[in-house]
Amino acid sequence: MSDKNHSRRGFVAASKTVVRDIGALQVLIGGLMMVPVLVSLLYQEWYSALAFLTSSGVTALVGAAAYKVCEDAPEPEQYHAMIVAALGWVATAVFGALPFIIAAYITPESVLNGYIPAGASYDSSSLLNFRDPIHALFESMSGYTTTGLTMSVHEPSVGHGFLWYRSQMQWVGGAGMIVLSLAILRQPRGAAGISLYQSEGRDEKIRPSIAGTARAIWKIYVGVTALVAVYLAAATFIVLPGYGIEQTIFDALNHAMTGQSTGGFSTLDDSIAGYNSYAMDIVHIPAMITGAISIPVYYAAASERDLREFARDPQVRVLFGFFVVGVIGLTAFLARWVGVPYNGDPIGYVGRVATSDAFREGLFQFISAQTTTGWQTSAIGDWNNGSVMFIVFGAMLLGGSAGATVGGIKILRGYVIARGIGWEISRTFLPTHAVDDLRIGQRTLNSDEANEEIRSAGTMAAAYLIVLVLSLFVVLAVLPQNFTLADAIFEVATAQGTVGLSSGITGPDMPVTTEILFIIQMWMGRLEIIPVLVLISSLLRR
């Protein structure tokens, strides 16, 4: 009986720890919802402002109550931190969906019609889609996980307040909400702080303390985002001088947030293709690449005042190597594709696409996929199967650098696994007593350290691929007949890799089963699988 009482007390204490830390996170999220209130007021979108204000109050009050009730809970251990991350992101997505639902119901139809741009080919606001709570949860989860798949079919028709909110969700989710919470609110010391920091898929400390590391990450993140915003605004003024100052600045701020977070939401219909400008495609490529580089590399370059730190990082070298090989490969596949680009204008000639057009699409879409940003300039659903599979296996599965805002398995893990395979092969040719250290980047690992590093990378990659395959079977069971196997593979890879490109499956009319599956995939993909498995294991043990 005493063992049962002890177990019950342990469960209660653990639950209070989880509830307290999730509550603190929601206080932060509720406070951040006040920013789109101000944006909505600036653009005189009164109903949107009311929706954000109401949601902010509800989120902050619930979070504060949860924190206050469980304030005396013990500091989290490693498995507590994993559960906080898993449930914290779910809670954030749920509360993050509130503004969409409230605004969809309280905004009069006449006001919604005012959000539709003049001359648009559609006659209803996409905000109406969020009267379905599942659609709202999908948009919120896609935002905070920096995926970029959307139920806002015609983005401009949701109003400036919600365009900003969608970008803000991705920007906050990119660097990590728990990391932001550690930087601003709770600052646990020792193992508790380390556990919370690592729960969002981060390992490398760049300052002696976890709180210092969290603040440094956010300083770098804010600084790079600001530089990208200035760059995008200046470039747009040069390339599209007649675009308008107000819209240029608004687009630049939003695209800086969604580019640096590698999230991919856009203020335009048809994503970056909405500019209908090859020059603007090129302008936005650096904004994707900056988000795919590890934040510790930025910190090292800033601390040492030496830009060569970027060239010294193996992940950066591999990333640019993938860009070169991948763009050439995708261009070759697209050069045999017969179809139309995303803006609807015919290209190429019968039987073959002009090489210049294939290069344009290949350049932008491969980099968008590799960085997991998800900005789109091409109708991927019209591509041939070879092009679709090339971008999945050549870019989306691996993603960008560990320590950045990207999704996917991460370059570092792929690099470790590849180096580990070569190391295992080379060991068979060494003398019995030879030293068999493994060099990874700037580090030299002994045999035990190398095996641990390879085991960790292999475990994550295996879990990632298993979830991906199981998800594919579910999608194939409910997929409409007009989509191919390549389309299904592409869409499950883009959801789990938090990429955001779409072959056309994602939308308000998609099967509910698929929509719920993608919500789960986005959640698991952003947290790199393990915290979700820890949560499931804890529930089963209980």
Side-chain angles (χ1 to χ4, degrees):
M1 188 70 177
S2 60
D3 288 342
K4 288 185 178 180
N5 289 334
H6 178 74
S7 176
R8 187 178 295 111
R9 285 196 298 271
F11 175 76
V12 171
S15 299
K16 291 180 69 175
T17 296
V18 171
V19 170
R20 179 200 59 202
D21 287 353
I22 292 176
L25 183 59
Q26 298 318 304
V27 171
L28 177 63
I29 296 301
L32 289 172
M33 284 184 188
M34 290 302 296
V35 179
V37 171
L38 299 177
V39 175
S40 297
L41 292 174
L42 178 65
Y43 284 94
Q44 299 182 15
E45 296 169 356
W46 313 119
Y47 292 96
S48 295
L50 178 60
F52 287 122
L53 185 62
T54 304
S55 302
S56 173
V58 170
T59 304
L61 283 173
V62 172
Y67 182 87
K68 189 65 178 176
V69 169
C70 302
E71 191 173 8
D72 60 343
E75 291 296 344
E77 298 178 16
Q78 185 175 16
Y79 83 93
H80 294 140
M82 293 287 186
I83 296 172
V84 167
L87 291 179
W89 281 73
V90 171
T92 298
V94 170
F95 283 109
L98 289 179
F100 292 104
I101 298 170
I102 294 172
Y105 277 102
I106 68 171
T107 308
E109 187 174 345
S110 59
V111 175
L112 290 174
N113 290 338
Y115 295 156
I116 301 172
S121 60
Y122 52 91
D123 56 8
S124 65
S125 169
S126 291
L127 204 56
L128 290 172
N129 293 334
F130 301 116
R131 289 183 176 179
D132 183 335
I134 301 297
H135 291 347
L137 179 61
F138 184 99
E139 194 81 1
S140 181
M141 184 65 81
S142 181
Y144 279 114
T145 59
T146 73
T147 303
L149 294 172
T150 184
M151 294 295 158
S152 299
V153 180
H154 301 294
E155 286 89 341
S157 69
V158 301
H160 290 83
F162 276 97
L163 288 176
W164 180 276
Y165 180 55
R166 293 163 76 246
S167 302
Q168 178 181 294
M169 286 193 295
Q170 293 199 323
W171 190 69
V172 171
M177 295 175 293
I178 292 175
V179 171
L180 180 59
S181 178
L182 289 170
I184 297 176
L185 298 177
R186 294 197 64 249
Q187 296 172 8
R189 300 178 183 275
I194 294 172
S195 296
L196 285 170
Y197 175 71
Q198 293 177 335
S199 67
E200 286 184 319
R202 297 189 180 277
D203 293 313
E204 189 172 351
K205 288 174 61 178
I206 57 179
R207 297 292 297 274
S209 71
I210 289 299
T213 294
R215 292 194 193 100
I217 286 173
W218 271 92
K219 285 179 182 178
I220 294 166
Y221 192 56
V222 170
V224 176
T225 304
L227 290 174
V228 171
V230 172
Y231 154 74
L232 288 176
T236 305
F237 279 129
I238 294 170
V239 176
L240 299 176
Y243 192 61
I245 294 177
E246 179 184 307
Q247 192 60 41
T248 294
I249 294 174
F250 186 77
D251 282 8
L253 289 171
N254 280 270
H255 287 160
M257 287 192 286
T258 61
Q260 187 57 33
S261 65
T262 63
F265 277 156
S266 177
T267 57
L268 307 172
D269 263 340
D270 297 339
S271 190
I272 303 304
Y275 287 113
N276 197 24
S277 165
Y278 193 177
M280 288 301 287
D281 292 358
I282 302 299
V283 161
H284 283 80
I285 287 176
M288 296 188 285
I289 295 174
T290 57
I293 296 174
S294 176
I295 288 178
V297 176
Y298 284 109
Y299 181 80
S303 300
E304 301 296 329
R305 297 184 179 180
D306 186 356
L307 293 178
R308 287 177 295 180
E309 290 292 337
F310 291 99
R312 294 188 186 108
D313 183 60
Q315 292 193 98
V316 173
R317 296 197 299 270
V318 172
L319 181 67
F320 277 86
F322 274 129
F323 288 160
V324 173
V325 175
V327 169
I328 293 172
L330 185 57
T331 299
F333 275 107
L334 288 174
R336 300 189 61 83
W337 163 55
V338 181
V340 294
Y342 205 43
N343 62 16
D345 298 323
I347 61 176
Y349 52 88
V350 176
R352 199 171 184 84
V353 169
T355 302
S356 60
D357 292 314
F359 177 75
R360 173 182 177 178
E361 304 302 337
L363 174 67
F364 191 92
Q365 293 304 165
F366 188 87
I367 293 176
S368 181
Q370 185 75 65
T371 61
T372 72
T373 303
W375 281 334
Q376 197 156 338
T377 58
S378 182
I380 294 173
D382 293 335
W383 286 6
N384 60 46
N385 290 340
S387 301
V388 173
M389 290 296 94
F390 183 85
I391 204 172
V392 170
F393 293 102
M396 289 164 57
L397 285 184
L398 195 60
S401 302
T405 62
V406 299
I409 293 172
K410 308 293 194 302
I411 286 174
L412 181 59
R413 291 194 181 96
Y415 182 78
V416 167
I417 293 171
R419 292 282 292 145
I421 292 172
W423 179 64
E424 288 291 348
I425 294 172
S426 66
R427 291 172 72 189
T428 62
F429 297 98
L430 293 176
T432 306
H433 300 292
V435 176
D436 56 349
D437 291 342
L438 173 64
R439 186 172 179 81
I440 296 178
Q442 304 297 318
R443 297 182 299 154
T444 300
L445 308 178
N446 62 37
S447 181
D448 290 339
E449 291 171 335
N451 282 319
E452 175 62 24
E453 197 84 16
I454 296 166
R455 180 203 61 79
S456 177
T459 299
M460 163 56 192
Y464 188 93
L465 293 174
I466 289 170
V467 173
L468 193 71
V469 171
L470 293 175
S471 300
L472 176 61
F473 288 141
V474 175
V475 170
L476 289 174
V478 297
L479 191 68
Q481 294 296 319
N482 56 312
F483 292 105
T484 67
L485 174 61
D487 293 330
I489 294 173
F490 186 92
E491 211 78 0
V492 296
T494 197
Q496 189 166 308
T498 68
V499 179
L501 296 172
S502 179
S503 62
I505 293 175
T506 299
D509 297 328
M510 66 194 298
V512 175
T513 301
T514 305
E515 186 171 0
I516 293 172
L517 173 68
F518 286 173
I519 290 172
I520 295 170
Q521 274 194 285
M522 292 188 287
W523 171 50
M524 296 184 76
R526 176 59 181 84
L527 292 174
E528 298 190 336
I529 312 296
I530 303 302
V532 178
L533 298 181
V534 170
L535 171 63
I536 295 170
S537 177
S538 298
L539 294 174
L540 293 176
R541 286 172 183 267
R542 177 57 187 169

